[in-house]
Amino acid sequence: MTTTPNPPDSTDPHPAAGPTPPQYPQQPPAYPTGPTQPPAPPAYPAQYAPPAYPSPTPQTPPPAQHVAPPVPPQPQPAIPPKPTTPAPLHAHHISTDQRRVYLKAHQRHADATALGSLLIYLPHFLSSLVVVSLVSLLVLGDLAFLGIVGWLLTGLLIFHRPTESTLARRLLGLRHPTREEFSRLAPVWQEVTARAGVDAQNYELWIEENDTDLNAVAAAGHIVGVTTFALNRLPNGELAAVLAHELGHHVGGHAWASLLGYWYALPARLAYRVIRFLAVVTLRVAAVFSLLGFLVIAFFLGIVAFGTITTLYGLPLLILAAPYALAAVGRRAELRADQHAAALGFAPMLASVLHQMHGADQAAKQQAALAARAAGTRLPKESAMAKLLATHPDHHTRLHHLQPWLQPQPPR
């Protein structure tokens, strides 16, 4: 195949001797613009056309409801609480805040009333010593001294804590305080002992289940008991006055002295009751047979009594007068305990307690008088002998001895 050369360009002044290159168009070919339309679907004959299905009616969505965003609760303006007036404290309310406590070197002593009580019990003690010696001789023979020494050592049991607990439960009818009772009683007791300079742990607090009487007790060496009436009805200042009074009995030695004297007098009292019972029975039996036999037995008993009195240097006669002397010492001990409470700053509270006790006594006497009048009888008047045997001073006497602490003190 031969290639036909292109004709020379007449405008070129120097035509090339060789073949000329091919000429390309100056403008690029035009390409179709825009998206290419898909080819139309082929037309089917009528018998072959697909069935026309009804087009589903577009469901118009319900108009969107505008839901307001949750509004955060607006802070309500604080309503200021109504000013409440605190309940006024009782006039005899005291503060029981803890503070430093200065303890005294000597926690307790024996004052004149305690020593007087022991002195009055001395005849009982000597008579009991005779009785214990005779019984020890009959039972132990040559070892009688063991019985005497053992009896003397039993007096130390009044300071033995387990023995005191048994005494509190069995003889005095006391119990340990509950948690609520102790939470009320302990701060008041701490305040009383702090003012007195006494270690509160040296004593045990007990409760007497009594909702009618305002009373308290100091017993043995470490027992301080108070009734539920006093614990639940009195303001803490008056309760402190009652406890300070009982602490005065312990500090002055009244409690242990009276209990110790009573314990060592017990053999003599038992022997006296046995002898009196035998004498009464013997006299009645002799009176049944004849008057002469009665006189003989009475004369014999008189000789024995006289010999006993002279042998013991008149101690049995002193025993007969001891109850009146002990009652007088007991009244003095109550006044000293009142003074102890007053010296600690509880005189007004103690006076209020005394007024309440006096009012309760008067109300009880009036009820008894009304009951006696309804029954058509009269109450017997209090005899002078009963007043001599009273262990507590009367209301007016106690208030009289509190007057130095109730009078307003001049400013310093």
Side-chain angles (χ1 to χ4, degrees):
M1 179 182 298
T2 60
T3 302
T4 304
N6 291 331
D9 190 0
S10 60
T11 61
D12 190 359
H14 304 285
T20 60
Q23 299 293 325
Y24 295 97
Q26 298 295 323
Q27 298 294 332
Y31 293 97
T33 62
T36 304
Q37 297 295 331
Y44 293 93
Q47 62 270 22
Y48 298 109
Y53 293 98
S55 60
T57 303
Q59 298 293 332
T60 304
Q65 297 180 358
H66 177 71
V67 180
V71 179
Q74 297 296 328
Q76 298 294 333
I79 301 176
K82 296 182 179 180
T84 57
T85 304
L89 297 176
H90 194 276
H92 291 158
H93 179 83
I94 61 173
S95 174
T96 57
D97 296 336
Q98 297 294 326
R99 62 179 186 273
R100 178 176 292 184
V101 178
Y102 296 94
L103 300 180
K104 294 181 179 179
H106 301 285
Q107 296 284 299
R108 66 174 74 194
H109 61 278
D111 59 17
T113 55
L115 297 177
S117 177
L118 293 176
L119 184 62
I120 294 172
Y121 272 117
L122 182 59
H124 295 78
F125 169 75
L126 296 177
S127 300
S128 296
L129 183 60
V130 173
V131 173
V132 172
S133 300
L134 293 176
V135 173
S136 299
L137 285 173
L138 293 176
V139 176
L140 301 177
D142 294 339
L143 300 178
F145 70 94
L146 294 179
I148 298 173
V149 173
W151 172 68
L152 293 175
L153 293 178
T154 56
L156 300 178
L157 292 176
I158 66 172
F159 299 102
H160 185 235
R161 292 298 181 94
T163 304
E164 286 185 341
S165 299
T166 303
L167 173 67
R169 291 191 184 94
R170 304 300 181 184
L171 297 183
L172 302 179
L174 304 179
R175 62 170 175 82
H176 286 294
T178 63
R179 181 174 299 180
E180 293 76 10
E181 291 170 339
F182 186 79
S183 64
R184 169 168 167 75
L185 192 59
V188 181
W189 177 245
Q190 291 284 347
E191 176 65 21
V192 171
T193 55
R195 294 191 185 189
V198 173
D199 188 1
Q201 303 299 325
N202 287 340
Y203 300 93
E204 293 184 5
L205 299 174
W206 293 76
I207 299 296
E208 179 185 350
E209 199 68 37
N210 190 334
D211 293 329
T212 57
D213 293 336
L214 198 167
N215 197 14
V217 61
H222 310 91
I223 295 176
V224 177
V226 65
T227 61
T228 52
F229 180 92
L231 178 63
N232 298 325
R233 304 290 183 88
L234 296 180
N236 68 344
E238 295 180 3
L239 178 61
V242 173
L243 295 176
H245 173 90
E246 302 306 328
L247 180 62
H249 284 308
H250 278 298
V251 171
H254 310 156
W256 67 263
S258 60
L259 182 58
L260 188 65
Y262 176 83
W263 175 253
Y264 281 132
L266 195 57
R269 290 182 174 179
L270 293 177
Y272 171 74
R273 292 182 180 181
V274 170
I275 293 173
R276 185 180 64 177
F277 173 77
L278 294 177
V280 170
V281 171
T282 303
L283 290 175
R284 288 182 178 179
V285 171
V288 170
F289 290 99
S290 65
L291 178 60
L292 180 59
F294 175 80
L295 294 176
V296 171
I297 296 297
F299 179 75
F300 175 76
L301 292 177
I303 293 176
V304 173
F306 180 77
T308 303
I309 292 173
T310 54
T311 304
L312 297 178
Y313 302 98
L315 291 179
L317 294 179
L318 295 177
I319 292 177
L320 297 177
Y324 303 97
L326 289 174
V329 171
R331 292 192 295 269
R332 185 61 185 173
E334 293 297 327
L335 295 177
R336 283 185 172 269
D338 286 348
Q339 293 173 3
H340 179 268
L344 297 181
F346 300 113
M349 298 79 165
L350 184 59
S352 177
V353 171
L354 294 179
H355 282 303
Q356 296 180 48
M357 296 175 64
H358 180 66
D361 291 341
Q362 293 299 318
K365 289 181 180 179
Q366 290 179 359
Q367 291 181 358
L370 291 176
R373 185 179 302 175
T377 59
R378 291 184 178 181
L379 289 177
K381 294 183 179 181
E382 188 178 9
S383 63
M385 197 68 67
K387 292 181 179 180
L388 292 176
L389 291 174
T391 57
H392 286 66
D394 60 88
H395 172 68
H396 301 288
T397 301
R398 299 182 73 172
L399 286 180
H400 173 73
H401 284 81
L402 285 178
Q403 287 305 314
W405 287 273
L406 296 176
Q407 299 296 334
Q409 299 296 328
R412 297 181 178 178

